[in-house]
Amino acid sequence: MAKDNDNSNVYIGKKRSMNYVMSAMGTLNEGKPAKLLARGRAISRAVDVGELLINKFAKGASYGTIEIKTESLTNKDGSQSNVSAIEIEIKPGD
Amino acid sequence: MAKDNDNSNVYIGKKRSMNYVMSAMGTLNEGKPAKLLARGRAISRAVDVGELLINKFAKGASYGTIEIKTESLTNKDGSQSNVSAIEIEIKPGD
């Protein structure tokens, strides 16, 4: 099973939403589900990307599981921070 | 059926997360599900509120349906803007 090199995972960061839309389209066009992953403030952008895909770019695609969780990050000084995260699965159309 | 005066809906805006946590706790403590609603950049905060409730404040509570959609807003000049929105249902514990 592919893990870190699983190209169906799209990590949402600070770039413009369209970058991530295009990245997910590559996976969906192969008929495979794509997963949008985001933490903290990027969560809003992940939701934008999901809506752009489903309403505009990936015809017939639909939401799969939407998961919300907390991830623990280690800061540079060794302390721990908790940050909210979201995983949005996008299932390709027929 | 209650509609706009349904106090189980918590609209997430620009206040600190704890304000919304407390507001949702009121509903959950009555044994009723609470719904967190947010648009645009407030979506990240809604996810934070959900995690705070489930991991810290509302023991036994769990996520219900998580819905993502697009809402159409009318600007002051009469034009339309689309904005992403999220609805997170929190189910009370036993």
Side-chain angles (χ1 to χ4, degrees), chain B residues 3-35:
Chain B
K3 279 179 191 169
D4 267 7
N5 55 354
D6 184 352
N7 57 14
S8 67
N9 284 347
V10 180
Y11 293 91
I12 311 287
K14 295 189 174 181
K15 292 188 203 161
R16 305 198 61 146
S17 300
M18 279 308 295
N19 288 278
Y20 306 112
V21 169
M22 289 308 155
S23 177
M25 282 301 289
T27 304
L28 293 169
N29 282 337
E30 294 170 18
K32 293 191 291 189
K35 206 174 235 181

mmCIF file of all heavy atoms in Angstrom, chain B residues 3-35:
data_model
loop_
_atom_site.group_PDB
_atom_site.id
_atom_site.type_symbol
_atom_site.label_atom_id
_atom_site.label_comp_id
_atom_site.label_asym_id
_atom_site.label_seq_id
_atom_site.Cartn_x
_atom_site.Cartn_y
_atom_site.Cartn_z
ATOM 1 N N LYS B 3 -37.504 27.361 13.899
ATOM 2 C CA LYS B 3 -36.673 27.683 12.719
ATOM 3 C C LYS B 3 -35.572 28.649 13.117
ATOM 4 O O LYS B 3 -34.561 28.260 13.682
ATOM 5 C CB LYS B 3 -37.543 28.276 11.619
ATOM 6 C CG LYS B 3 -38.257 27.181 10.833
ATOM 7 C CD LYS B 3 -39.131 27.803 9.751
ATOM 8 C CE LYS B 3 -40.048 26.763 9.137
ATOM 9 N NZ LYS B 3 -41.069 27.392 8.296
ATOM 10 N N ASP B 4 -35.772 29.928 12.856
ATOM 11 C CA ASP B 4 -34.717 30.892 13.157
ATOM 12 C C ASP B 4 -34.457 31.022 14.648
ATOM 13 O O ASP B 4 -33.359 31.366 15.063
ATOM 14 C CB ASP B 4 -35.093 32.262 12.576
ATOM 15 C CG ASP B 4 -34.510 32.424 11.191
ATOM 16 O OD1 ASP B 4 -33.948 31.437 10.684
ATOM 17 O OD2 ASP B 4 -34.598 33.523 10.641
ATOM 18 N N ASN B 5 -35.482 30.750 15.430
ATOM 19 C CA ASN B 5 -35.310 30.858 16.871
ATOM 20 C C ASN B 5 -34.866 29.528 17.484
ATOM 21 O O ASN B 5 -34.962 29.328 18.679
ATOM 22 C CB ASN B 5 -36.610 31.353 17.519
ATOM 23 C CG ASN B 5 -37.778 30.454 17.149
ATOM 24 O OD1 ASN B 5 -37.617 29.549 16.321
ATOM 25 N ND2 ASN B 5 -38.919 30.679 17.761
ATOM 26 N N ASP B 6 -34.374 28.640 16.647
ATOM 27 C CA ASP B 6 -33.880 27.355 17.112
ATOM 28 C C ASP B 6 -32.541 27.580 17.804
ATOM 29 O O ASP B 6 -31.530 27.837 17.160
ATOM 30 C CB ASP B 6 -33.699 26.423 15.911
ATOM 31 C CG ASP B 6 -33.274 25.038 16.342
ATOM 32 O OD1 ASP B 6 -32.986 24.867 17.541
ATOM 33 O OD2 ASP B 6 -33.223 24.151 15.483
ATOM 34 N N ASN B 7 -32.532 27.481 19.122
ATOM 35 C CA ASN B 7 -31.298 27.802 19.835
ATOM 36 C C ASN B 7 -30.282 26.670 19.821
ATOM 37 O O ASN B 7 -29.259 26.752 20.476
ATOM 38 C CB ASN B 7 -31.600 28.252 21.269
ATOM 39 C CG ASN B 7 -32.380 27.198 22.025
ATOM 40 O OD1 ASN B 7 -32.469 26.052 21.575
ATOM 41 N ND2 ASN B 7 -32.933 27.568 23.164
ATOM 42 N N SER B 8 -30.560 25.610 19.046
ATOM 43 C CA SER B 8 -29.546 24.565 18.936
ATOM 44 C C SER B 8 -28.530 24.917 17.842
ATOM 45 O O SER B 8 -27.505 24.264 17.708
ATOM 46 C CB SER B 8 -30.196 23.221 18.623
ATOM 47 O OG SER B 8 -30.757 23.244 17.345
ATOM 48 N N ASN B 9 -28.804 25.963 17.056
ATOM 49 C CA ASN B 9 -27.856 26.420 16.037
ATOM 50 C C ASN B 9 -26.882 27.426 16.634
ATOM 51 O O ASN B 9 -27.302 28.405 17.242
ATOM 52 C CB ASN B 9 -28.595 27.084 14.868
ATOM 53 C CG ASN B 9 -29.266 26.066 13.971
ATOM 54 O OD1 ASN B 9 -28.993 24.872 14.068
ATOM 55 N ND2 ASN B 9 -30.140 26.526 13.104
ATOM 56 N N VAL B 10 -25.599 27.180 16.451
ATOM 57 C CA VAL B 10 -24.579 28.102 16.934
ATOM 58 C C VAL B 10 -23.863 28.679 15.714
ATOM 59 O O VAL B 10 -23.175 27.956 14.994
ATOM 60 C CB VAL B 10 -23.566 27.381 17.856
ATOM 61 C CG1 VAL B 10 -22.511 28.355 18.347
ATOM 62 C CG2 VAL B 10 -24.273 26.714 19.021
ATOM 63 N N TYR B 11 -24.063 29.965 15.474
ATOM 64 C CA TYR B 11 -23.423 30.609 14.325
ATOM 65 C C TYR B 11 -22.030 31.081 14.715
ATOM 66 O O TYR B 11 -21.876 31.920 15.599
ATOM 67 C CB TYR B 11 -24.274 31.788 13.838
ATOM 68 C CG TYR B 11 -25.583 31.333 13.259
ATOM 69 C CD1 TYR B 11 -26.709 31.213 14.062
ATOM 70 C CD2 TYR B 11 -25.681 30.982 11.919
ATOM 71 C CE1 TYR B 11 -27.910 30.750 13.549
ATOM 72 C CE2 TYR B 11 -26.882 30.522 11.401
ATOM 73 C CZ TYR B 11 -27.991 30.408 12.216
ATOM 74 O OH TYR B 11 -29.170 29.946 11.704
ATOM 75 N N ILE B 12 -21.023 30.529 14.053
ATOM 76 C CA ILE B 12 -19.638 30.834 14.409
ATOM 77 C C ILE B 12 -19.174 32.077 13.651
ATOM 78 O O ILE B 12 -19.292 32.139 12.425
ATOM 79 C CB ILE B 12 -18.712 29.657 14.048
ATOM 80 C CG1 ILE B 12 -19.271 28.330 14.560
ATOM 81 C CG2 ILE B 12 -17.296 29.906 14.543
ATOM 82 C CD1 ILE B 12 -19.186 28.106 16.014
ATOM 83 N N GLY B 13 -18.682 33.063 14.394
ATOM 84 C CA GLY B 13 -18.189 34.293 13.772
ATOM 85 C C GLY B 13 -16.782 34.600 14.221
ATOM 86 O O GLY B 13 -15.946 33.708 14.280
ATOM 87 N N LYS B 14 -16.527 35.853 14.594
ATOM 88 C CA LYS B 14 -15.156 36.288 14.876
ATOM 89 C C LYS B 14 -14.799 36.301 16.360
ATOM 90 O O LYS B 14 -13.702 36.705 16.726
ATOM 91 C CB LYS B 14 -14.946 37.683 14.299
ATOM 92 C CG LYS B 14 -15.040 37.697 12.786
ATOM 93 C CD LYS B 14 -14.610 39.024 12.195
ATOM 94 C CE LYS B 14 -14.596 38.916 10.671
ATOM 95 N NZ LYS B 14 -14.175 40.148 10.019
ATOM 96 N N LYS B 15 -15.733 35.905 17.213
ATOM 97 C CA LYS B 15 -15.398 35.885 18.646
ATOM 98 C C LYS B 15 -14.426 34.746 18.960
ATOM 99 O O LYS B 15 -14.146 33.903 18.117
ATOM 100 C CB LYS B 15 -16.675 35.697 19.465
ATOM 101 C CG LYS B 15 -17.620 36.886 19.404
ATOM 102 C CD LYS B 15 -18.752 36.682 20.398
ATOM 103 C CE LYS B 15 -19.976 37.505 20.006
ATOM 104 N NZ LYS B 15 -21.199 37.006 20.645
ATOM 105 N N ARG B 16 -13.974 34.711 20.195
ATOM 106 C CA ARG B 16 -13.084 33.626 20.607
ATOM 107 C C ARG B 16 -13.866 32.320 20.653
ATOM 108 O O ARG B 16 -15.054 32.294 20.978
ATOM 109 C CB ARG B 16 -12.486 33.912 21.986
ATOM 110 C CG ARG B 16 -11.785 35.268 22.004
ATOM 111 C CD ARG B 16 -10.868 35.331 23.169
ATOM 112 N NE ARG B 16 -9.865 34.277 23.057
ATOM 113 C CZ ARG B 16 -8.620 34.390 23.477
ATOM 114 N NH1 ARG B 16 -8.219 35.498 24.043
ATOM 115 N NH2 ARG B 16 -7.772 33.396 23.355
ATOM 116 N N SER B 17 -13.159 31.215 20.363
ATOM 117 C CA SER B 17 -13.812 29.907 20.269
ATOM 118 C C SER B 17 -14.621 29.563 21.513
ATOM 119 O O SER B 17 -15.707 28.981 21.428
ATOM 120 C CB SER B 17 -12.768 28.815 20.042
ATOM 121 O OG SER B 17 -12.067 29.065 18.861
ATOM 122 N N MET B 18 -14.110 29.945 22.695
ATOM 123 C CA MET B 18 -14.772 29.543 23.938
ATOM 124 C C MET B 18 -16.199 30.083 24.050
ATOM 125 O O MET B 18 -17.049 29.466 24.684
ATOM 126 C CB MET B 18 -13.949 29.981 25.154
ATOM 127 C CG MET B 18 -12.794 29.054 25.472
ATOM 128 S SD MET B 18 -13.311 27.311 25.606
ATOM 129 C CE MET B 18 -14.374 27.383 27.052
ATOM 130 N N ASN B 19 -16.455 31.244 23.446
ATOM 131 C CA ASN B 19 -17.823 31.778 23.436
ATOM 132 C C ASN B 19 -18.786 30.782 22.806
ATOM 133 O O ASN B 19 -19.893 30.568 23.311
ATOM 134 C CB ASN B 19 -17.880 33.073 22.615
ATOM 135 C CG ASN B 19 -17.210 34.230 23.315
ATOM 136 O OD1 ASN B 19 -17.810 34.863 24.165
ATOM 137 N ND2 ASN B 19 -15.960 34.485 22.982
ATOM 138 N N TYR B 20 -18.362 30.208 21.688
ATOM 139 C CA TYR B 20 -19.233 29.292 20.947
ATOM 140 C C TYR B 20 -19.305 27.936 21.644
ATOM 141 O O TYR B 20 -20.332 27.264 21.600
ATOM 142 C CB TYR B 20 -18.738 29.167 19.510
ATOM 143 C CG TYR B 20 -18.593 30.515 18.847
ATOM 144 C CD1 TYR B 20 -17.342 31.023 18.514
ATOM 145 C CD2 TYR B 20 -19.703 31.303 18.585
ATOM 146 C CE1 TYR B 20 -17.210 32.268 17.936
ATOM 147 C CE2 TYR B 20 -19.583 32.552 18.007
ATOM 148 C CZ TYR B 20 -18.330 33.033 17.688
ATOM 149 O OH TYR B 20 -18.197 34.278 17.120
ATOM 150 N N VAL B 21 -18.208 27.542 22.280
ATOM 151 C CA VAL B 21 -18.209 26.292 23.052
ATOM 152 C C VAL B 21 -19.271 26.379 24.143
ATOM 153 O O VAL B 21 -20.098 25.481 24.305
ATOM 154 C CB VAL B 21 -16.816 26.038 23.672
ATOM 155 C CG1 VAL B 21 -16.876 24.904 24.694
ATOM 156 C CG2 VAL B 21 -15.790 25.713 22.585
ATOM 157 N N MET B 22 -19.290 27.498 24.860
ATOM 158 C CA MET B 22 -20.250 27.674 25.960
ATOM 159 C C MET B 22 -21.681 27.672 25.433
ATOM 160 O O MET B 22 -22.578 27.089 26.034
ATOM 161 C CB MET B 22 -19.972 28.990 26.707
ATOM 162 C CG MET B 22 -18.705 28.929 27.531
ATOM 163 S SD MET B 22 -18.724 27.459 28.617
ATOM 164 C CE MET B 22 -16.994 27.177 28.863
ATOM 165 N N SER B 23 -21.872 28.338 24.316
ATOM 166 C CA SER B 23 -23.199 28.414 23.720
ATOM 167 C C SER B 23 -23.701 27.014 23.338
ATOM 168 O O SER B 23 -24.849 26.651 23.612
ATOM 169 C CB SER B 23 -23.091 29.317 22.495
ATOM 170 O OG SER B 23 -24.303 29.390 21.838
ATOM 171 N N ALA B 24 -22.840 26.206 22.737
ATOM 172 C CA ALA B 24 -23.233 24.851 22.353
ATOM 173 C C ALA B 24 -23.448 23.968 23.581
ATOM 174 O O ALA B 24 -24.331 23.108 23.606
ATOM 175 C CB ALA B 24 -22.167 24.236 21.444
ATOM 176 N N MET B 25 -22.651 24.204 24.623
ATOM 177 C CA MET B 25 -22.783 23.396 25.841
ATOM 178 C C MET B 25 -24.181 23.531 26.440
ATOM 179 O O MET B 25 -24.729 22.566 26.988
ATOM 180 C CB MET B 25 -21.745 23.825 26.889
ATOM 181 C CG MET B 25 -20.347 23.312 26.639
ATOM 182 S SD MET B 25 -20.259 21.515 26.583
ATOM 183 C CE MET B 25 -20.532 21.112 28.305
ATOM 184 N N GLY B 26 -24.754 24.724 26.338
ATOM 185 C CA GLY B 26 -26.101 24.941 26.847
ATOM 186 C C GLY B 26 -27.090 23.971 26.224
ATOM 187 O O GLY B 26 -27.914 23.371 26.915
ATOM 188 N N THR B 27 -26.987 23.806 24.924
ATOM 189 C CA THR B 27 -27.878 22.894 24.205
ATOM 190 C C THR B 27 -27.569 21.434 24.532
ATOM 191 O O THR B 27 -28.464 20.631 24.801
ATOM 192 C CB THR B 27 -27.737 23.113 22.682
ATOM 193 O OG1 THR B 27 -27.990 24.483 22.403
ATOM 194 C CG2 THR B 27 -28.719 22.253 21.912
ATOM 195 N N LEU B 28 -26.279 21.089 24.508
ATOM 196 C CA LEU B 28 -25.888 19.691 24.748
ATOM 197 C C LEU B 28 -26.280 19.237 26.156
ATOM 198 O O LEU B 28 -26.667 18.081 26.359
ATOM 199 C CB LEU B 28 -24.377 19.523 24.532
ATOM 200 C CG LEU B 28 -23.891 19.716 23.091
ATOM 201 C CD1 LEU B 28 -22.370 19.806 23.035
ATOM 202 C CD2 LEU B 28 -24.382 18.583 22.201
ATOM 203 N N ASN B 29 -26.186 20.154 27.121
ATOM 204 C CA ASN B 29 -26.526 19.794 28.499
ATOM 205 C C ASN B 29 -28.009 19.488 28.678
ATOM 206 O O ASN B 29 -28.403 18.844 29.652
ATOM 207 C CB ASN B 29 -26.096 20.898 29.467
ATOM 208 C CG ASN B 29 -24.600 20.845 29.733
ATOM 209 O OD1 ASN B 29 -23.976 19.798 29.571
ATOM 210 N ND2 ASN B 29 -24.025 21.969 30.129
ATOM 211 N N GLU B 30 -28.814 19.963 27.726
ATOM 212 C CA GLU B 30 -30.241 19.603 27.749
ATOM 213 C C GLU B 30 -30.482 18.269 27.041
ATOM 214 O O GLU B 30 -31.621 17.867 26.834
ATOM 215 C CB GLU B 30 -31.076 20.686 27.047
ATOM 216 C CG GLU B 30 -31.087 22.025 27.763
ATOM 217 C CD GLU B 30 -31.727 23.121 26.910
ATOM 218 O OE1 GLU B 30 -32.447 22.792 25.957
ATOM 219 O OE2 GLU B 30 -31.480 24.299 27.204
ATOM 220 N N GLY B 31 -29.408 17.633 26.597
ATOM 221 C CA GLY B 31 -29.533 16.352 25.910
ATOM 222 C C GLY B 31 -29.926 16.482 24.447
ATOM 223 O O GLY B 31 -30.305 15.511 23.811
ATOM 224 N N LYS B 32 -29.810 17.711 23.898
ATOM 225 C CA LYS B 32 -30.172 17.933 22.496
ATOM 226 C C LYS B 32 -28.923 18.131 21.643
ATOM 227 O O LYS B 32 -27.912 18.663 22.121
ATOM 228 C CB LYS B 32 -31.065 19.181 22.381
ATOM 229 C CG LYS B 32 -32.423 19.005 23.029
ATOM 230 C CD LYS B 32 -33.366 20.137 22.666
ATOM 231 C CE LYS B 32 -32.941 21.447 23.307
ATOM 232 N NZ LYS B 32 -33.952 22.519 23.140
ATOM 233 N N PRO B 33 -28.965 17.723 20.367
ATOM 234 C CA PRO B 33 -27.813 17.957 19.492
ATOM 235 C C PRO B 33 -27.657 19.443 19.173
ATOM 236 O O PRO B 33 -28.648 20.169 19.073
ATOM 237 C CB PRO B 33 -28.154 17.162 18.226
ATOM 238 C CG PRO B 33 -29.621 16.966 18.253
ATOM 239 C CD PRO B 33 -30.054 17.004 19.681
ATOM 240 N N ALA B 34 -26.415 19.879 19.012
ATOM 241 C CA ALA B 34 -26.127 21.263 18.639
ATOM 242 C C ALA B 34 -25.557 21.279 17.226
ATOM 243 O O ALA B 34 -24.936 20.309 16.793
ATOM 244 C CB ALA B 34 -25.124 21.875 19.606
ATOM 245 N N LYS B 35 -25.797 22.359 16.503
ATOM 246 C CA LYS B 35 -25.276 22.461 15.147
ATOM 247 C C LYS B 35 -24.392 23.705 15.042
ATOM 248 O O LYS B 35 -24.829 24.809 15.355
ATOM 249 C CB LYS B 35 -26.449 22.574 14.172
ATOM 250 C CG LYS B 35 -26.132 22.088 12.790
ATOM 251 C CD LYS B 35 -27.365 22.097 11.932
ATOM 252 C CE LYS B 35 -27.640 20.745 11.306
ATOM 253 N NZ LYS B 35 -28.835 20.778 10.456
#
